[in-house]
Amino acid sequence: MTSLAVLGVGRIGGETAFVASALGIVDELILADSYEPLLRAQVLDLSHTPLDIPITTDRSRISEADICLFAAGSPRNPSIKTRADLFDANLPVAEICSKYLKGFTGSLICVTNPMDIFCYYFAEMLEIPREHCIGFGGQLDSRRFEIAVRERGIRGPAWVLGEHGEHQVPLFSHLDTPVPEAEREEILTGLRRSSMDVIQGKGGTAFGPALHIAELIRLLTGEKKETITCALSLRGEYGFSDCAMGVPAEVSRAGAKVIEGWPLDAWEEKHLNNAGEFVQSLCRRLDVRS
């Protein structure tokens, strides 16, 4: 039996609850949202499906869940330029949600933006082992990168490290074809606005994040191991500490373990250093030190 708690059942939280249930990855849902009409509607909508899955809105059960998804707070919209701009709006939400997670011993997946910062926040505030406090974004960014290079006839493993935002770092050196710096910058510019194209067209992302998150939950509850990119708190890996950002990780039932020493070329190292310095600057704004 695998229980999934979802803090924030809006577009991504609600969609993930449905997808994970429909795929048979979870056996119980614990749903929470500050907006009661939405919460009631999501519970009703799920109950009207053919899925025979227990659903509760008892917030005292959140800390007992095997997996918890932090998806609460204000989403990005066309008026918000970057994900990092949501820091001040969503920090109070994270502080409220941390109260429901006291004593939590499962795996926490952070989705709310700026995701890297809240991944670090919960790991420090709740003393969750970093293998079990995981920031979602790298899978989605890597998929967008794969699509971008495939459209140019370029093949090979498509990985994205760094911040889930303006400071994402696509790894061109892992592709099968060399990509000149000017073309790299052009592709990177497109990746930075790829989510905004969805947001402007339909109000927000849903399908892509939900299925990737469901697959992450499957890895955390299943038997196989898989390498993905996700945000984890760093302790010197890739030159950074006291922050979380996207790195390669082996994910399994044991959690997400940082894979050290992935080869990076000079362009990638420069961009990853910029990403690390940026997320560190935001993490310093958090009051998480005892």
Side-chain angles (χ1 to χ4, degrees):
M1 291 285 290
T2 298
S3 56
L4 171 67
V6 181
L7 295 169
V9 296
R11 192 182 299 270
I12 291 178
E15 191 78 15
T16 301
F18 169 68
V19 171
S21 302
L23 293 176
I25 299 171
V26 300
D27 306 291
E28 180 187 19
L29 295 174
I30 304 164
L31 306 182
D33 199 285
S34 61
Y35 186 52
E36 289 294 333
L38 172 63
L39 180 60
R40 289 196 300 271
Q42 294 288 52
V43 171
L44 277 173
D45 205 6
L46 283 163
S47 69
H48 294 164
T49 70
L51 300 171
D52 185 17
I53 184 168
I55 304 171
T56 181
T57 58
D58 181 358
R59 297 183 184 187
S60 70
R61 298 280 318 284
I62 293 171
S63 62
E64 303 172 7
D66 298 301
I67 309 283
C68 182
L69 183 67
F70 172 58
S74 299
R76 194 176 175 199
N77 60 54
S79 68
I80 297 172
K81 185 177 179 181
T82 72
R83 296 176 178 90
D85 293 336
L86 289 164
F87 179 96
D88 291 316
N90 287 333
L91 180 56
V93 179
E95 291 171 344
I96 292 170
C97 289
S98 67
K99 298 174 183 177
Y100 297 113
L101 286 165
K102 287 183 178 178
F104 178 69
T105 59
S107 292
L108 177 64
I109 300 172
C110 297
V111 177
T112 299
N113 285 311
M115 173 276 292
D116 303 271
I117 313 310
F118 292 128
C119 177
Y120 178 72
Y121 171 82
F122 282 113
E124 294 295 315
M125 284 295 293
L126 301 174
E127 299 182 340
I128 300 174
R130 67 170 178 167
E131 293 83 5
H132 292 285
C133 191
I134 303 163
F136 165 78
Q139 296 160 273
L140 185 60
D141 291 335
S142 296
R143 173 59 177 164
R144 289 167 175 164
F145 180 38
E146 179 185 13
I147 293 169
V149 296
R150 185 193 299 165
E151 289 173 347
R152 295 168 181 254
I154 301 170
R155 304 287 175 174
W159 305 100
V160 174
L161 309 184
E163 183 217 9
H164 179 51
E166 299 299 293
H167 295 82
Q168 59 187 283
V169 186
L171 300 189
F172 290 95
S173 65
H174 289 238
L175 299 172
D176 297 338
T177 305
V179 181
E181 184 168 326
E183 188 174 3
R184 291 184 179 201
E185 294 292 346
E186 183 181 332
I187 292 171
L188 178 55
T189 298
L191 292 176
R192 286 169 174 157
R193 68 158 290 112
S194 56
S195 64
M196 189 54 68
D197 290 338
V198 178
I199 292 167
Q200 290 176 336
K202 57 179 274 186
T205 59
F207 302 150
L211 190 51
H212 283 299
I213 296 167
E215 288 303 315
L216 176 55
I217 295 170
R218 190 195 298 275
L219 290 173
L220 291 170
T221 59
E223 300 301 325
K224 70 173 184 175
K225 297 179 180 179
E226 190 171 311
T227 297
I228 65 169
T229 58
C230 59
L232 294 169
S233 292
L234 299 180
R235 299 169 184 162
E237 298 90 352
Y238 298 93
F240 287 93
S241 300
D242 300 326
C243 68
M245 69 174 177
V247 292
E250 182 183 74
V251 183
S252 67
R253 184 182 289 272
K257 298 182 179 180
V258 178
I259 299 173
E260 299 185 57
W262 265 26
L264 305 175
D265 64 21
W267 184 91
E268 293 159 354
E269 285 187 357
K270 179 185 74 173
H271 281 74
L272 191 63
N273 285 336
N274 290 340
E277 290 170 2
F278 179 75
V279 296
Q280 272 188 333
S281 69
L282 286 179
C283 287
R284 290 190 193 105
R285 295 174 59 189
L286 299 170
D287 183 17
V288 294
R289 293 296 179 187
S290 58

